[in-house]
Amino acid sequence: MLGDSTMTDYGEDRLPQMGWGQAMPMFFSEETVINNWARGGRSSRSFYYEAERWPAVLPLIKAGDYVIIQFGHNDQRRGGDYAEAGTFAYCPDGTENGEGCPEDLDLEGPDPTAPYYEHSYYQFLKRYVLETRAKGAIPILMTPIVRKYFSGGTITEKGQHNLQAQDKYSEEPYPRGDYPAAMKAVADTYGVPFVDLTAETKAIVESYGDEAATEHLYIAADSTHPAVLFATLIARAAVQGLESQGLMEGHIVEATSLVASPNNLDWGNRYIDVPNTKELTISAFDLVPETGSVDVTAPDGFLLSDSAESEVWSSSATIDFTNGAFTSNLYVQFTAASEQAYTGDVSFALDGTELGTVAVSGTGVAVGEGVASYSSWFTEGASTTAISDGLVSASDALVNNLEAGNTKTMAVDGQDTGVARFQVFGEAMVARSDDRYLQFAVTAESQKFYVDTISVYLASSGGSTVEADIEYSLSADFTNPVKLNETSFLPRDDTDLTVQEYSVISTLDSTDADPNNDTLYVRIFPWNASGATSTGKYLGIYDLKVDGVSGE
């Protein structure tokens, strides 16, 4: 599978975001090998040249393999990103004839030094097709999924990747054109199996409508990336397209209608009588009737709720649905009553018929044996709410004299993610200011908390001149802070962000009378090193985490 962030695999920590290629295995037999090479931010052009993408994939392709190709979203890039990834649907001279892109005409837009055919989506798709066939494999073209751009009850032409004159970029003499049409032209010219996922996903999204699609199909950060249910529905549509053409017969199987993420919950060791909650994302499709309720039942030791902060927990719950499908967040709480292992299944049933189960497990241990504990912030876009696990608690992130900007999709470990941003501008921000910061506080509960790691993803957004210091203190007034970073330089947001980890040796103790011993405070101080006072400079932040072990 070749493609972009809408197709790629994401880790469990990224739920409910899921690429539709990640959902494909559920529709295939166990002996089928699915290699998903899709990666966020890639276009037909950048994927072709990047050393770890097509040059690495092509030698691995064997005769008889199927190669599914879906690009289009990032081919529409403009501005500074055009030279690396941008293309026109056919040719950049406005001609809707991909076969006729010449090599020697001047381009009046970005990157005029590249040959004309280097700006053609059609030409790159043609390369994938011919090079795949040269290996004895079967190429399959699939158009890009729609963006959730509604006009009334209909997805717009732009949402369908048809960029006509109204989307003409000022630096380019012609509009980009119709990308799905260009892909179909390649398929027709070279006799390639073709699945119109643009049309299929348009029908799915329009059947939900703007509001319901926002809630159930796409992640909260944008109108492009699928959540679990949508990824599953896209994969199903792709498989149905293959079946209709007699492709991959003997490999496609009937899929269960229930998809759980994660597919099991394991609490490990937990203190007796100390409840702990985990989140479960449940999606289902092809339900009959189209409107109804799914009954959920938990085994002994486990309780259910639709809110992590609920005061009412029960061994049973219901999930209402319409459109024959749903995505729902379910919270499962484990409380050990004694020193023993607890195992079982959370089961889901519709009108008495089981849809599926999720295995749950945990072990009750006596106080003092130690459990992993942590608190983290900014794991869900701009939300300042803390997430904690183990015997610690945390307050919401404190934003002191900083103004929040809009959430932006950035590459976190190579996966597109909604990242919170804070503006860094004005005279007070041209150098570090001790009264402008983000603060995070974690407190030990009933035991000692041995902190061993503080980690965070930070980025300079809107340019490369935003810098930051990260420090911690055991005092509420932040006296005697310890600086963690050796350099204040931050990576730009157009690179793959990787976590910055700092080893910490600090013990929080809630068992003694000293109030300065039970809470750790972390502060991040951003500024604009260029000295400019203009807007447009941001600190990007994702998943600040204080990690360690609680025990005596």
Side-chain angles (χ1 to χ4, degrees), residues 150 153-155 199-213 217 230 233 236 290 322-325:
F150 271 95
T154 304
I155 298 294
E200 294 291 339
T201 53
K202 176 178 182 290
I204 293 170
V205 175
E206 288 178 351
S207 73
Y208 274 75
D210 196 351
E211 183 177 349
L217 301 184
F230 194 24
L233 295 177
R236 184 187 63 167
E290 286 205 345
T322 57
N323 289 69

mmCIF file with all atom_site columns, all heavy atoms in Angstrom, residues 150 153-155 199-213 217 230 233 236 290 322-325:
data_model
loop_
_atom_site.group_PDB
_atom_site.id
_atom_site.type_symbol
_atom_site.label_atom_id
_atom_site.label_alt_id
_atom_site.label_comp_id
_atom_site.label_asym_id
_atom_site.label_entity_id
_atom_site.label_seq_id
_atom_site.pdbx_PDB_ins_code
_atom_site.Cartn_x
_atom_site.Cartn_y
_atom_site.Cartn_z
_atom_site.occupancy
_atom_site.B_iso_or_equiv
_atom_site.pdbx_formal_charge
_atom_site.auth_seq_id
_atom_site.auth_comp_id
_atom_site.auth_asym_id
_atom_site.auth_atom_id
_atom_site.pdbx_PDB_model_num
ATOM 1   N N   . PHE A 1 150 ? -18.183 20.792 3.288  1.00 0.00 ? 150 PHE A N   1
ATOM 2   C CA  . PHE A 1 150 ? -19.587 20.776 2.918  1.00 0.00 ? 150 PHE A CA  1
ATOM 3   C C   . PHE A 1 150 ? -20.041 22.122 2.364  1.00 0.00 ? 150 PHE A C   1
ATOM 4   O O   . PHE A 1 150 ? -19.591 23.185 2.801  1.00 0.00 ? 150 PHE A O   1
ATOM 5   C CB  . PHE A 1 150 ? -20.454 20.449 4.140  1.00 0.00 ? 150 PHE A CB  1
ATOM 6   C CG  . PHE A 1 150 ? -20.690 18.984 4.349  1.00 0.00 ? 150 PHE A CG  1
ATOM 7   C CD1 . PHE A 1 150 ? -19.889 18.253 5.214  1.00 0.00 ? 150 PHE A CD1 1
ATOM 8   C CD2 . PHE A 1 150 ? -21.722 18.330 3.693  1.00 0.00 ? 150 PHE A CD2 1
ATOM 9   C CE1 . PHE A 1 150 ? -20.113 16.905 5.430  1.00 0.00 ? 150 PHE A CE1 1
ATOM 10  C CE2 . PHE A 1 150 ? -21.959 16.980 3.897  1.00 0.00 ? 150 PHE A CE2 1
ATOM 11  C CZ  . PHE A 1 150 ? -21.155 16.268 4.761  1.00 0.00 ? 150 PHE A CZ  1
ATOM 12  N N   . GLY A 1 153 ? -25.691 20.223 1.910  1.00 0.00 ? 153 GLY A N   1
ATOM 13  C CA  . GLY A 1 153 ? -25.547 18.810 2.256  1.00 0.00 ? 153 GLY A CA  1
ATOM 14  C C   . GLY A 1 153 ? -24.616 18.055 1.346  1.00 0.00 ? 153 GLY A C   1
ATOM 15  O O   . GLY A 1 153 ? -24.600 16.816 1.346  1.00 0.00 ? 153 GLY A O   1
ATOM 16  N N   . THR A 1 154 ? -23.785 18.790 0.568  1.00 0.00 ? 154 THR A N   1
ATOM 17  C CA  . THR A 1 154 ? -22.954 18.156 -0.456 1.00 0.00 ? 154 THR A CA  1
ATOM 18  C C   . THR A 1 154 ? -21.477 18.495 -0.233 1.00 0.00 ? 154 THR A C   1
ATOM 19  O O   . THR A 1 154 ? -21.135 19.621 0.121  1.00 0.00 ? 154 THR A O   1
ATOM 20  C CB  . THR A 1 154 ? -23.372 18.640 -1.862 1.00 0.00 ? 154 THR A CB  1
ATOM 21  O OG1 . THR A 1 154 ? -24.760 18.376 -2.046 1.00 0.00 ? 154 THR A OG1 1
ATOM 22  C CG2 . THR A 1 154 ? -22.569 17.948 -2.944 1.00 0.00 ? 154 THR A CG2 1
ATOM 23  N N   . ILE A 1 155 ? -20.608 17.525 -0.467 1.00 0.00 ? 155 ILE A N   1
ATOM 24  C CA  . ILE A 1 155 ? -19.170 17.775 -0.435 1.00 0.00 ? 155 ILE A CA  1
ATOM 25  C C   . ILE A 1 155 ? -18.797 18.613 -1.656 1.00 0.00 ? 155 ILE A C   1
ATOM 26  O O   . ILE A 1 155 ? -19.186 18.312 -2.776 1.00 0.00 ? 155 ILE A O   1
ATOM 27  C CB  . ILE A 1 155 ? -18.379 16.445 -0.441 1.00 0.00 ? 155 ILE A CB  1
ATOM 28  C CG1 . ILE A 1 155 ? -18.698 15.626 0.804  1.00 0.00 ? 155 ILE A CG1 1
ATOM 29  C CG2 . ILE A 1 155 ? -16.877 16.713 -0.530 1.00 0.00 ? 155 ILE A CG2 1
ATOM 30  C CD1 . ILE A 1 155 ? -18.233 16.247 2.100  1.00 0.00 ? 155 ILE A CD1 1
ATOM 31  N N   . ALA A 1 199 ? -15.534 8.992  -4.774 1.00 0.00 ? 199 ALA A N   1
ATOM 32  C CA  . ALA A 1 199 ? -16.989 8.878  -4.887 1.00 0.00 ? 199 ALA A CA  1
ATOM 33  C C   . ALA A 1 199 ? -17.574 8.070  -3.733 1.00 0.00 ? 199 ALA A C   1
ATOM 34  O O   . ALA A 1 199 ? -18.629 8.418  -3.170 1.00 0.00 ? 199 ALA A O   1
ATOM 35  C CB  . ALA A 1 199 ? -17.357 8.240  -6.224 1.00 0.00 ? 199 ALA A CB  1
ATOM 36  N N   . GLU A 1 200 ? -16.892 6.977  -3.360 1.00 0.00 ? 200 GLU A N   1
ATOM 37  C CA  . GLU A 1 200 ? -17.402 6.127  -2.278 1.00 0.00 ? 200 GLU A CA  1
ATOM 38  C C   . GLU A 1 200 ? -17.442 6.884  -0.949 1.00 0.00 ? 200 GLU A C   1
ATOM 39  O O   . GLU A 1 200 ? -18.423 6.804  -0.209 1.00 0.00 ? 200 GLU A O   1
ATOM 40  C CB  . GLU A 1 200 ? -16.527 4.880  -2.142 1.00 0.00 ? 200 GLU A CB  1
ATOM 41  C CG  . GLU A 1 200 ? -16.588 3.929  -3.332 1.00 0.00 ? 200 GLU A CG  1
ATOM 42  C CD  . GLU A 1 200 ? -17.926 3.223  -3.453 1.00 0.00 ? 200 GLU A CD  1
ATOM 43  O OE1 . GLU A 1 200 ? -18.657 3.153  -2.445 1.00 0.00 ? 200 GLU A OE1 1
ATOM 44  O OE2 . GLU A 1 200 ? -18.243 2.762  -4.563 1.00 0.00 ? 200 GLU A OE2 1
ATOM 45  N N   . THR A 1 201 ? -16.365 7.601  -0.633 1.00 0.00 ? 201 THR A N   1
ATOM 46  C CA  . THR A 1 201 ? -16.335 8.318  0.644  1.00 0.00 ? 201 THR A CA  1
ATOM 47  C C   . THR A 1 201 ? -17.233 9.546  0.607  1.00 0.00 ? 201 THR A C   1
ATOM 48  O O   . THR A 1 201 ? -17.765 9.948  1.643  1.00 0.00 ? 201 THR A O   1
ATOM 49  C CB  . THR A 1 201 ? -14.901 8.713  1.011  1.00 0.00 ? 201 THR A CB  1
ATOM 50  O OG1 . THR A 1 201 ? -14.278 9.434  -0.068 1.00 0.00 ? 201 THR A OG1 1
ATOM 51  C CG2 . THR A 1 201 ? -14.064 7.482  1.328  1.00 0.00 ? 201 THR A CG2 1
ATOM 52  N N   . LYS A 1 202 ? -17.418 10.140 -0.554 1.00 0.00 ? 202 LYS A N   1
ATOM 53  C CA  . LYS A 1 202 ? -18.382 11.238 -0.681 1.00 0.00 ? 202 LYS A CA  1
ATOM 54  C C   . LYS A 1 202 ? -19.771 10.760 -0.271 1.00 0.00 ? 202 LYS A C   1
ATOM 55  O O   . LYS A 1 202 ? -20.473 11.432 0.503  1.00 0.00 ? 202 LYS A O   1
ATOM 56  C CB  . LYS A 1 202 ? -18.406 11.759 -2.119 1.00 0.00 ? 202 LYS A CB  1
ATOM 57  C CG  . LYS A 1 202 ? -19.440 12.847 -2.411 1.00 0.00 ? 202 LYS A CG  1
ATOM 58  C CD  . LYS A 1 202 ? -19.326 13.307 -3.857 1.00 0.00 ? 202 LYS A CD  1
ATOM 59  C CE  . LYS A 1 202 ? -20.313 14.434 -4.174 1.00 0.00 ? 202 LYS A CE  1
ATOM 60  N NZ  . LYS A 1 202 ? -21.721 13.981 -4.193 1.00 0.00 ? 202 LYS A NZ  1
ATOM 61  N N   . ALA A 1 203 ? -20.161 9.603  -0.745 1.00 0.00 ? 203 ALA A N   1
ATOM 62  C CA  . ALA A 1 203 ? -21.477 9.057  -0.406 1.00 0.00 ? 203 ALA A CA  1
ATOM 63  C C   . ALA A 1 203 ? -21.577 8.770  1.090  1.00 0.00 ? 203 ALA A C   1
ATOM 64  O O   . ALA A 1 203 ? -22.616 9.041  1.722  1.00 0.00 ? 203 ALA A O   1
ATOM 65  C CB  . ALA A 1 203 ? -21.736 7.792  -1.223 1.00 0.00 ? 203 ALA A CB  1
ATOM 66  N N   . ILE A 1 204 ? -20.525 8.207  1.678  1.00 0.00 ? 204 ILE A N   1
ATOM 67  C CA  . ILE A 1 204 ? -20.541 7.898  3.112  1.00 0.00 ? 204 ILE A CA  1
ATOM 68  C C   . ILE A 1 204 ? -20.683 9.169  3.939  1.00 0.00 ? 204 ILE A C   1
ATOM 69  O O   . ILE A 1 204 ? -21.537 9.276  4.825  1.00 0.00 ? 204 ILE A O   1
ATOM 70  C CB  . ILE A 1 204 ? -19.261 7.138  3.519  1.00 0.00 ? 204 ILE A CB  1
ATOM 71  C CG1 . ILE A 1 204 ? -19.225 5.755  2.883  1.00 0.00 ? 204 ILE A CG1 1
ATOM 72  C CG2 . ILE A 1 204 ? -19.167 7.027  5.048  1.00 0.00 ? 204 ILE A CG2 1
ATOM 73  C CD1 . ILE A 1 204 ? -17.889 5.046  3.045  1.00 0.00 ? 204 ILE A CD1 1
ATOM 74  N N   . VAL A 1 205 ? -19.835 10.160 3.655  1.00 0.00 ? 205 VAL A N   1
ATOM 75  C CA  . VAL A 1 205 ? -19.815 11.380 4.458  1.00 0.00 ? 205 VAL A CA  1
ATOM 76  C C   . VAL A 1 205 ? -21.117 12.158 4.293  1.00 0.00 ? 205 VAL A C   1
ATOM 77  O O   . VAL A 1 205 ? -21.672 12.677 5.269  1.00 0.00 ? 205 VAL A O   1
ATOM 78  C CB  . VAL A 1 205 ? -18.598 12.245 4.079  1.00 0.00 ? 205 VAL A CB  1
ATOM 79  C CG1 . VAL A 1 205 ? -18.619 13.577 4.828  1.00 0.00 ? 205 VAL A CG1 1
ATOM 80  C CG2 . VAL A 1 205 ? -17.297 11.501 4.403  1.00 0.00 ? 205 VAL A CG2 1
ATOM 81  N N   . GLU A 1 206 ? -21.639 12.233 3.079  1.00 0.00 ? 206 GLU A N   1
ATOM 82  C CA  . GLU A 1 206 ? -22.889 12.943 2.860  1.00 0.00 ? 206 GLU A CA  1
ATOM 83  C C   . GLU A 1 206 ? -24.061 12.245 3.539  1.00 0.00 ? 206 GLU A C   1
ATOM 84  O O   . GLU A 1 206 ? -25.016 12.892 3.978  1.00 0.00 ? 206 GLU A O   1
ATOM 85  C CB  . GLU A 1 206 ? -23.152 13.090 1.366  1.00 0.00 ? 206 GLU A CB  1
ATOM 86  C CG  . GLU A 1 206 ? -22.237 14.100 0.688  1.00 0.00 ? 206 GLU A CG  1
ATOM 87  C CD  . GLU A 1 206 ? -22.476 14.213 -0.808 1.00 0.00 ? 206 GLU A CD  1
ATOM 88  O OE1 . GLU A 1 206 ? -23.234 13.385 -1.367 1.00 0.00 ? 206 GLU A OE1 1
ATOM 89  O OE2 . GLU A 1 206 ? -21.901 15.138 -1.418 1.00 0.00 ? 206 GLU A OE2 1
ATOM 90  N N   . SER A 1 207 ? -24.012 10.916 3.659  1.00 0.00 ? 207 SER A N   1
ATOM 91  C CA  . SER A 1 207 ? -25.088 10.194 4.335  1.00 0.00 ? 207 SER A CA  1
ATOM 92  C C   . SER A 1 207 ? -25.141 10.537 5.816  1.00 0.00 ? 207 SER A C   1
ATOM 93  O O   . SER A 1 207 ? -26.199 10.478 6.448  1.00 0.00 ? 207 SER A O   1
ATOM 94  C CB  . SER A 1 207 ? -24.923 8.680  4.147  1.00 0.00 ? 207 SER A CB  1
ATOM 95  O OG  . SER A 1 207 ? -23.853 8.178  4.925  1.00 0.00 ? 207 SER A OG  1
ATOM 96  N N   . TYR A 1 208 ? -23.997 10.902 6.394  1.00 0.00 ? 208 TYR A N   1
ATOM 97  C CA  . TYR A 1 208 ? -23.948 11.317 7.802  1.00 0.00 ? 208 TYR A CA  1
ATOM 98  C C   . TYR A 1 208 ? -24.318 12.787 7.958  1.00 0.00 ? 208 TYR A C   1
ATOM 99  O O   . TYR A 1 208 ? -24.947 13.178 8.939  1.00 0.00 ? 208 TYR A O   1
ATOM 100 C CB  . TYR A 1 208 ? -22.549 11.077 8.372  1.00 0.00 ? 208 TYR A CB  1
ATOM 101 C CG  . TYR A 1 208 ? -22.342 9.678  8.892  1.00 0.00 ? 208 TYR A CG  1
ATOM 102 C CD1 . TYR A 1 208 ? -22.163 8.612  8.021  1.00 0.00 ? 208 TYR A CD1 1
ATOM 103 C CD2 . TYR A 1 208 ? -22.322 9.413  10.258 1.00 0.00 ? 208 TYR A CD2 1
ATOM 104 C CE1 . TYR A 1 208 ? -21.980 7.318  8.487  1.00 0.00 ? 208 TYR A CE1 1
ATOM 105 C CE2 . TYR A 1 208 ? -22.133 8.130  10.742 1.00 0.00 ? 208 TYR A CE2 1
ATOM 106 C CZ  . TYR A 1 208 ? -21.973 7.082  9.852  1.00 0.00 ? 208 TYR A CZ  1
ATOM 107 O OH  . TYR A 1 208 ? -21.798 5.810  10.325 1.00 0.00 ? 208 TYR A OH  1
ATOM 108 N N   . GLY A 1 209 ? -23.899 13.626 7.006  1.00 0.00 ? 209 GLY A N   1
ATOM 109 C CA  . GLY A 1 209 ? -24.085 15.059 7.143  1.00 0.00 ? 209 GLY A CA  1
ATOM 110 C C   . GLY A 1 209 ? -22.928 15.675 7.900  1.00 0.00 ? 209 GLY A C   1
ATOM 111 O O   . GLY A 1 209 ? -22.141 14.978 8.557  1.00 0.00 ? 209 GLY A O   1
ATOM 112 N N   . ASP A 1 210 ? -22.808 16.991 7.827  1.00 0.00 ? 210 ASP A N   1
ATOM 113 C CA  . ASP A 1 210 ? -21.650 17.698 8.375  1.00 0.00 ? 210 ASP A CA  1
ATOM 114 C C   . ASP A 1 210 ? -21.470 17.453 9.869  1.00 0.00 ? 210 ASP A C   1
ATOM 115 O O   . ASP A 1 210 ? -20.395 17.078 10.343 1.00 0.00 ? 210 ASP A O   1
ATOM 116 C CB  . ASP A 1 210 ? -21.794 19.201 8.092  1.00 0.00 ? 210 ASP A CB  1
ATOM 117 C CG  . ASP A 1 210 ? -20.486 19.958 8.273  1.00 0.00 ? 210 ASP A CG  1
ATOM 118 O OD1 . ASP A 1 210 ? -19.511 19.362 8.772  1.00 0.00 ? 210 ASP A OD1 1
ATOM 119 O OD2 . ASP A 1 210 ? -20.434 21.145 7.904  1.00 0.00 ? 210 ASP A OD2 1
ATOM 120 N N   . GLU A 1 211 ? -22.527 17.644 10.645 1.00 0.00 ? 211 GLU A N   1
ATOM 121 C CA  . GLU A 1 211 ? -22.410 17.539 12.097 1.00 0.00 ? 211 GLU A CA  1
ATOM 122 C C   . GLU A 1 211 ? -22.059 16.123 12.540 1.00 0.00 ? 211 GLU A C   1
ATOM 123 O O   . GLU A 1 211 ? -21.133 15.918 13.338 1.00 0.00 ? 211 GLU A O   1
ATOM 124 C CB  . GLU A 1 211 ? -23.711 17.995 12.763 1.00 0.00 ? 211 GLU A CB  1
ATOM 125 C CG  . GLU A 1 211 ? -23.651 17.992 14.286 1.00 0.00 ? 211 GLU A CG  1
ATOM 126 C CD  . GLU A 1 211 ? -24.933 18.507 14.921 1.00 0.00 ? 211 GLU A CD  1
ATOM 127 O OE1 . GLU A 1 211 ? -25.785 19.060 14.182 1.00 0.00 ? 211 GLU A OE1 1
ATOM 128 O OE2 . GLU A 1 211 ? -25.091 18.358 16.151 1.00 0.00 ? 211 GLU A OE2 1
ATOM 129 N N   . ALA A 1 212 ? -22.773 15.126 12.031 1.00 0.00 ? 212 ALA A N   1
ATOM 130 C CA  . ALA A 1 212 ? -22.518 13.740 12.432 1.00 0.00 ? 212 ALA A CA  1
ATOM 131 C C   . ALA A 1 212 ? -21.179 13.250 11.902 1.00 0.00 ? 212 ALA A C   1
ATOM 132 O O   . ALA A 1 212 ? -20.487 12.471 12.574 1.00 0.00 ? 212 ALA A O   1
ATOM 133 C CB  . ALA A 1 212 ? -23.645 12.834 11.938 1.00 0.00 ? 212 ALA A CB  1
ATOM 134 N N   . ALA A 1 213 ? -20.781 13.701 10.710 1.00 0.00 ? 213 ALA A N   1
ATOM 135 C CA  . ALA A 1 213 ? -19.475 13.308 10.173 1.00 0.00 ? 213 ALA A CA  1
ATOM 136 C C   . ALA A 1 213 ? -18.354 13.875 11.032 1.00 0.00 ? 213 ALA A C   1
ATOM 137 O O   . ALA A 1 213 ? -17.337 13.219 11.267 1.00 0.00 ? 213 ALA A O   1
ATOM 138 C CB  . ALA A 1 213 ? -19.335 13.785 8.733  1.00 0.00 ? 213 ALA A CB  1
ATOM 139 N N   . LEU A 1 217 ? -16.825 10.518 12.081 1.00 0.00 ? 217 LEU A N   1
ATOM 140 C CA  . LEU A 1 217 ? -15.979 10.038 10.989 1.00 0.00 ? 217 LEU A CA  1
ATOM 141 C C   . LEU A 1 217 ? -14.567 10.604 10.987 1.00 0.00 ? 217 LEU A C   1
ATOM 142 O O   . LEU A 1 217 ? -13.613 9.904  10.654 1.00 0.00 ? 217 LEU A O   1
ATOM 143 C CB  . LEU A 1 217 ? -16.640 10.338 9.636  1.00 0.00 ? 217 LEU A CB  1
ATOM 144 C CG  . LEU A 1 217 ? -18.021 9.717  9.403  1.00 0.00 ? 217 LEU A CG  1
ATOM 145 C CD1 . LEU A 1 217 ? -18.498 10.010 7.983  1.00 0.00 ? 217 LEU A CD1 1
ATOM 146 C CD2 . LEU A 1 217 ? -17.996 8.212  9.656  1.00 0.00 ? 217 LEU A CD2 1
ATOM 147 N N   . PHE A 1 230 ? -14.589 5.657  10.359 1.00 0.00 ? 230 PHE A N   1
ATOM 148 C CA  . PHE A 1 230 ? -14.446 6.049  8.958  1.00 0.00 ? 230 PHE A CA  1
ATOM 149 C C   . PHE A 1 230 ? -13.345 5.236  8.290  1.00 0.00 ? 230 PHE A C   1
ATOM 150 O O   . PHE A 1 230 ? -13.495 4.777  7.147  1.00 0.00 ? 230 PHE A O   1
ATOM 151 C CB  . PHE A 1 230 ? -14.146 7.541  8.875  1.00 0.00 ? 230 PHE A CB  1
ATOM 152 C CG  . PHE A 1 230 ? -14.295 8.136  7.493  1.00 0.00 ? 230 PHE A CG  1
ATOM 153 C CD1 . PHE A 1 230 ? -15.119 7.542  6.534  1.00 0.00 ? 230 PHE A CD1 1
ATOM 154 C CD2 . PHE A 1 230 ? -13.630 9.297  7.155  1.00 0.00 ? 230 PHE A CD2 1
ATOM 155 C CE1 . PHE A 1 230 ? -15.262 8.104  5.268  1.00 0.00 ? 230 PHE A CE1 1
ATOM 156 C CE2 . PHE A 1 230 ? -13.759 9.863  5.895  1.00 0.00 ? 230 PHE A CE2 1
ATOM 157 C CZ  . PHE A 1 230 ? -14.581 9.259  4.956  1.00 0.00 ? 230 PHE A CZ  1
ATOM 158 N N   . LEU A 1 233 ? -14.848 1.990  7.399  1.00 0.00 ? 233 LEU A N   1
ATOM 159 C CA  . LEU A 1 233 ? -15.788 2.091  6.281  1.00 0.00 ? 233 LEU A CA  1
ATOM 160 C C   . LEU A 1 233 ? -15.056 2.312  4.958  1.00 0.00 ? 233 LEU A C   1
ATOM 161 O O   . LEU A 1 233 ? -15.474 1.794  3.910  1.00 0.00 ? 233 LEU A O   1
ATOM 162 C CB  . LEU A 1 233 ? -16.771 3.231  6.533  1.00 0.00 ? 233 LEU A CB  1
ATOM 163 C CG  . LEU A 1 233 ? -17.711 3.058  7.736  1.00 0.00 ? 233 LEU A CG  1
ATOM 164 C CD1 . LEU A 1 233 ? -18.580 4.296  7.925  1.00 0.00 ? 233 LEU A CD1 1
ATOM 165 C CD2 . LEU A 1 233 ? -18.567 1.819  7.595  1.00 0.00 ? 233 LEU A CD2 1
ATOM 166 N N   . ARG A 1 236 ? -13.561 -1.015 3.952  1.00 0.00 ? 236 ARG A N   1
ATOM 167 C CA  . ARG A 1 236 ? -14.623 -1.877 3.428  1.00 0.00 ? 236 ARG A CA  1
ATOM 168 C C   . ARG A 1 236 ? -14.969 -1.489 1.989  1.00 0.00 ? 236 ARG A C   1
ATOM 169 O O   . ARG A 1 236 ? -15.131 -2.356 1.120  1.00 0.00 ? 236 ARG A O   1
ATOM 170 C CB  . ARG A 1 236 ? -15.866 -1.789 4.305  1.00 0.00 ? 236 ARG A CB  1
ATOM 171 C CG  . ARG A 1 236 ? -16.976 -2.733 3.860  1.00 0.00 ? 236 ARG A CG  1
ATOM 172 C CD  . ARG A 1 236 ? -18.249 -2.533 4.626  1.00 0.00 ? 236 ARG A CD  1
ATOM 173 N NE  . ARG A 1 236 ? -18.817 -1.206 4.432  1.00 0.00 ? 236 ARG A NE  1
ATOM 174 C CZ  . ARG A 1 236 ? -20.042 -0.845 4.795  1.00 0.00 ? 236 ARG A CZ  1
ATOM 175 N NH1 . ARG A 1 236 ? -20.820 -1.719 5.400  1.00 0.00 ? 236 ARG A NH1 1
ATOM 176 N NH2 . ARG A 1 236 ? -20.481 0.375  4.584  1.00 0.00 ? 236 ARG A NH2 1
ATOM 177 N N   . GLU A 1 290 ? -31.020 -0.325 11.395 1.00 0.00 ? 290 GLU A N   1
ATOM 178 C CA  . GLU A 1 290 ? -30.134 0.826  11.257 1.00 0.00 ? 290 GLU A CA  1
ATOM 179 C C   . GLU A 1 290 ? -30.155 1.722  12.482 1.00 0.00 ? 290 GLU A C   1
ATOM 180 O O   . GLU A 1 290 ? -29.241 2.520  12.674 1.00 0.00 ? 290 GLU A O   1
ATOM 181 C CB  . GLU A 1 290 ? -30.497 1.649  10.014 1.00 0.00 ? 290 GLU A CB  1
ATOM 182 C CG  . GLU A 1 290 ? -30.078 0.996  8.716  1.00 0.00 ? 290 GLU A CG  1
ATOM 183 C CD  . GLU A 1 290 ? -29.882 2.002  7.612  1.00 0.00 ? 290 GLU A CD  1
ATOM 184 O OE1 . GLU A 1 290 ? -30.345 3.145  7.780  1.00 0.00 ? 290 GLU A OE1 1
ATOM 185 O OE2 . GLU A 1 290 ? -29.268 1.644  6.590  1.00 0.00 ? 290 GLU A OE2 1
ATOM 186 N N   . THR A 1 322 ? -27.323 5.166  15.096 1.00 0.00 ? 322 THR A N   1
ATOM 187 C CA  . THR A 1 322 ? -28.135 5.407  13.902 1.00 0.00 ? 322 THR A CA  1
ATOM 188 C C   . THR A 1 322 ? -27.267 5.129  12.682 1.00 0.00 ? 322 THR A C   1
ATOM 189 O O   . THR A 1 322 ? -26.062 4.868  12.825 1.00 0.00 ? 322 THR A O   1
ATOM 190 C CB  . THR A 1 322 ? -28.636 6.860  13.849 1.00 0.00 ? 322 THR A CB  1
ATOM 191 O OG1 . THR A 1 322 ? -27.510 7.746  13.902 1.00 0.00 ? 322 THR A OG1 1
ATOM 192 C CG2 . THR A 1 322 ? -29.577 7.170  15.005 1.00 0.00 ? 322 THR A CG2 1
ATOM 193 N N   . ASN A 1 323 ? -27.828 5.172  11.497 1.00 0.00 ? 323 ASN A N   1
ATOM 194 C CA  . ASN A 1 323 ? -27.081 4.926  10.251 1.00 0.00 ? 323 ASN A CA  1
ATOM 195 C C   . ASN A 1 323 ? -26.463 3.530  10.192 1.00 0.00 ? 323 ASN A C   1
ATOM 196 O O   . ASN A 1 323 ? -25.567 3.278  9.393  1.00 0.00 ? 323 ASN A O   1
ATOM 197 C CB  . ASN A 1 323 ? -25.970 5.955  10.049 1.00 0.00 ? 323 ASN A CB  1
ATOM 198 C CG  . ASN A 1 323 ? -26.509 7.332  9.710  1.00 0.00 ? 323 ASN A CG  1
ATOM 199 O OD1 . ASN A 1 323 ? -27.111 7.969  10.557 1.00 0.00 ? 323 ASN A OD1 1
ATOM 200 N ND2 . ASN A 1 323 ? -26.298 7.790  8.495  1.00 0.00 ? 323 ASN A ND2 1
ATOM 201 N N   . GLY A 1 324 ? -26.885 2.632  11.066 1.00 0.00 ? 324 GLY A N   1
ATOM 202 C CA  . GLY A 1 324 ? -26.342 1.279  11.061 1.00 0.00 ? 324 GLY A CA  1
ATOM 203 C C   . GLY A 1 324 ? -24.894 1.198  11.489 1.00 0.00 ? 324 GLY A C   1
ATOM 204 O O   . GLY A 1 324 ? -24.211 0.196  11.233 1.00 0.00 ? 324 GLY A O   1
ATOM 205 N N   . ALA A 1 325 ? -24.397 2.261  12.159 1.00 0.00 ? 325 ALA A N   1
ATOM 206 C CA  . ALA A 1 325 ? -22.983 2.288  12.552 1.00 0.00 ? 325 ALA A CA  1
ATOM 207 C C   . ALA A 1 325 ? -22.805 3.282  13.698 1.00 0.00 ? 325 ALA A C   1
ATOM 208 O O   . ALA A 1 325 ? -23.654 4.135  13.942 1.00 0.00 ? 325 ALA A O   1
ATOM 209 C CB  . ALA A 1 325 ? -22.101 2.682  11.368 1.00 0.00 ? 325 ALA A CB  1
#
